[in-house]
Amino acid sequence: MKIQSLSEAEVLRTLVTSDKGLSHEDAQRRLNEYGLNEIKDVRKKPLYLKLVSQFIHFLAILLWIAAALSFLSDYLHPGESMFTLGFAIIAVIFINAVFTFIQENRAEKAVEALKKMLPFYVKVFRDGNEKEIHAREVVPGDVFLLNEGDKIPADSRLIDASELKVNNAPLTGESEPVLRDPRAFDGELIESANILFAGTTVISGSGKAVAFATGMTTEFGRIAHLTSAVEAGRSPLQKEITRATRLVATIASAVGLTFFVLGFLIGRNFWDNFIFAIGITVALIPEGMLPTMTLSLAMGSQRMAKRKALIKTLTSVETLGAVTVICTDKTGTLTQNKMAVTKLWVNDKIVDVKDLYLYKDKIYELLRIASHCNNARFMDGQYKGEPTEVALLKAVREALGDLKSERIKEIPFDSERKRMTTVNLIEGKVFVFTKGATEGLLPLCSHLLMNGEKAPADEDLRKNVIDASHAMMDMGLRVLSFAFREIESINNISMVKGADIENNMVFAGLIGLEDPPRPEVPEAIKKCTEAGIKVIMITGDGSRTAGSIAREIGLIKGAPVVVEGHGFNQMSDTELRAKLLEKEVIFARMTPKDKMRIVSILKDEGEIVAVTGDGVNDAPALKKADIGIAMGMSGADVAKEASDMILLDDNFATIVNAVEEGRTVYENIRKFITYIFASNIPEAVPYLAYILFKIPLPLTIIQILAVDLGTDMLPALALGAEKPTPGVMKKPPRKLGEKLLDMPVITRAYLFLGPIEAIACMFGFFWVLNNGGWIWGVMLHPNDMLYLQATTACFTAIIITQTANVFACRSSKESVFSIGIFSNRLIFYGIMAELLLQMFIVYHPFGNRIFGTAPLGPDVWLILIPFSILLLAAEELRKVYVRKHEVK
């Protein structure tokens, strides 16, 4: 069957359907027969391969080598507990692998959940009535409607169209819109103008089509059989963490090898040197960093989702914190997108909508145009359609009731023409109705309607129209102009273009619509200003409307630079750059193409740009921006696909919340990295003392692992859940190239916090040895009770000082007391879990056997606790110094 070569009637007959669609029962039967309209994953990487990959990355291989050497050591030199160490290292590998595997699996499920949260709906005819269903429920034979911005749900045959253009780029790679025609075609399917392919998008116009292939039987489904799933690339943050881990692991290995050789030079035997080399390597590798990082990012994404921002890629999380410019639409983002007609201009007078009953006869023609040149509908007791058109239809129905006509032709609105035209048959007469921007429509008019009579449109009357339009815009209203003409019947109406009929029109009047600002936007704008983020409004509305709203929400305070469409197109890139450098700038009467140019120049200037968009033609700008933000409620599917972030509530304030959350995520990662890295120093110093001063080994490898993968984990996660610090949105954006592990972070962890903890652990070790009568230089047996208690004291000192360190790391500059000791309850849960694990390790016989520890008396705890107070006090003094230095 060559469906493209059949007439419309033959298509419907072949698919056993009608222009009124399928019945509910028939649709259900076909759904059972053909299955859901979904593209299934093909050759997806099996779960077992994903799990295996967690065991063979760089860090895992390093640990496998360490485990193998431990087993070899135990085989060649038994009695040094190296066998236990080998199993402990393998346990580390398994914990990391399983944990990361679970998180990645959860991430995949989250993507699936995202698809469910943002379903793709289609308007189909069922039992003769228009109904909205999920795209996966579309079956062959379903008749559905198409409008600008819709994604086509299935391979379909067009049976009716009005200037319908589609973007076949997902299938053909050709991004230029192509005009579709419902007439029969004898050529190949892929070349047919009457075929619409699943996954492509309607750029403009409207139409009706019938599905003939769904799911895996579509062209996309066939291609899916020949291609494997594309794996998502890692984010720069993940790459940087991997680089940092490799760097630390390489340094650890180099240090271990260096001191292994040094041990020989100072007379140590092979096994002592080998134990030391393994220990120093394990001590310097942050085994817990990667799982902590994974969980922290997962929690950040969940927090963003709760704040109505769905993040599609991890890259977006980190980039959000660096945004310097937000280019935002006005309607629906800064405003509530609750359009309502409030003013009309007729007979040279602005009329309030509540007084319409006084002017019913004089405004009839104006309201008639607003009713017929309109794609909104009143169905099942509710209005459906684009907000502006719904507001117009609602005003007409409230004033005049339902007006009937037969639409013969529609020339859809587009951003270039800035107007929409319909040809309607009313009581045997043919009328052309047009609505759009005043500057585009008024020049097409030869007459104005004054007191029901057509008056020649002289300069004075034209000036009155423009002045009235400006006056209404200054009220913050969106102003539309309306015109009409009566014509003779037209031959070949389907071939008629706007230029053929949009002339010698009669101007009927103006309608002003109010879309109030969102109440939370002024505070969000203020936050952006304080955070060093520039906000630029890019709107299709007139400059006066845009300026009025911008002033109301606090976006502008002085005399802004206003660039309108006609002037914008005449500007060179150099001139535009100069405008963009101005403190306050508004772009009015802009098209999506103009938005793309603005974004490109901002990026060329080194700005990190976030841009909002909801239409099909916004997709290039969304792709070009560092952060493309699509509207979840009103956005076209193609815009959502091109974006990095989706606003579930279409609210500008949500963008600012997401930026704050992005900065917080980055800040929190630094916090727990500082916390984790600080404990590396007290883990490494005992090994240096052991090799240099010929003392018993103060800390065993198994105890190091207990810290890194046990006691440190939950407090580190609690730091990853920290709320934004008070100053996070009061400082300029970070530079995109800024390193996560910069010198201030490394210096603070390794040269300030770490040494204090190292002093504490070595003090505890020697305190117990000296109280037990140990003599310097005497090497104790690994099972000697005094030695077990001394290593336990060293281990306990790290835990005690880390409980203070978790509070110290809650901020880099602000006092923990100003943040609020109890403002993050997870910290206390983490510390509680840490101490419970510590009690098990120190006081339970099973814990003693596994970790080589022995119970400690209260005196040891009392002598170590002051070190945690010392660490917190020292950190508070450092923060005071930093704050004073910044003020200077």
Side-chain angles (χ1 to χ4, degrees), residues 756-790:
I756 295 174
E757 293 191 18
I759 292 169
C761 73
M762 294 307 295
F763 181 86
F765 179 72
F766 285 119
W767 170 273
V768 172
L769 285 181
N770 287 332
N771 284 349
W774 174 74
I775 299 172
W776 191 281
V778 175
M779 302 303 290
L780 300 174
H781 191 275
N783 294 323
D784 188 295
M785 181 56 67
L786 178 61
Y787 174 71
L788 291 174
Q789 287 183 325

Side-chain angles (χ1 to χ4, degrees), residues 70-283:
S70 298
F71 289 131
L72 178 64
S73 172
D74 187 80
Y75 176 75
L76 297 175
H77 194 270
E80 296 290 343
S81 301
M82 296 303 284
F83 189 77
T84 304
L85 173 62
F87 274 112
I89 293 174
I90 289 175
V92 171
I93 298 170
F94 270 86
I95 290 170
N96 261 315
V98 173
F99 187 86
T100 307
F101 170 75
I102 290 171
Q103 289 305 312
E104 287 189 357
N105 204 37
R106 283 181 62 187
E108 283 189 10
K109 289 180 179 178
V111 172
E112 293 303 316
L114 172 61
K115 292 177 182 176
K116 291 176 184 176
M117 290 177 75
L118 296 167
F120 163 22
Y121 290 104
V122 183
K123 296 185 183 75
V124 301
F125 287 98
R126 294 277 172 89
D127 295 313
N129 297 316
E130 186 181 325
K131 183 180 180 183
E132 204 169 58
I133 65 169
H134 198 289
R136 65 168 177 259
E137 297 172 7
V138 171
V139 296
D142 259 328
V143 176
F144 56 91
L145 295 174
L146 292 168
N147 289 293
E148 179 180 334
D150 288 347
K151 186 197 278 187
I152 294 160
D155 284 0
S156 312
R157 167 61 197 271
L158 194 61
I159 56 176
D160 187 25
S162 175
E163 300 291 323
L164 185 73
K165 291 183 178 180
V166 298
N167 183 348
N168 283 335
L171 193 66
T172 66
E174 177 54 58
S175 60
E176 284 298 312
V178 288
L179 187 66
R180 302 287 86 180
D181 188 332
R183 289 177 295 182
F185 179 76
D186 288 330
E188 293 298 319
L189 187 77
I190 195 73
E191 298 172 354
S192 176
N194 60 27
I195 298 297
L196 307 174
F197 295 102
T200 59
T201 310
V202 178
I203 297 297
S204 62
S206 60
K208 185 190 288 187
V210 56
F212 65 83
T214 59
M216 297 303 288
T217 61
T218 63
E219 287 299 312
F220 263 98
R222 293 191 182 103
I223 293 169
H225 278 299
L226 304 175
T227 57
S228 58
V230 178
E231 292 187 13
R234 293 185 305 160
S235 75
L237 182 61
Q238 290 173 308
K239 291 176 183 176
E240 190 175 339
I241 290 298
T242 302
R243 282 198 302 269
T245 304
R246 290 186 177 188
L247 177 63
V248 172
T250 304
I251 291 172
S253 302
V255 170
L257 183 62
T258 300
F259 278 91
F260 181 76
V261 174
L262 181 62
F264 278 113
L265 296 178
I266 62 176
R268 289 274 188 180
N269 64 47
F270 174 83
W271 295 111
D272 286 344
N273 286 336
F274 184 75
I275 291 170
F276 167 77
I278 295 292
I280 197 72
T281 302
V282 173

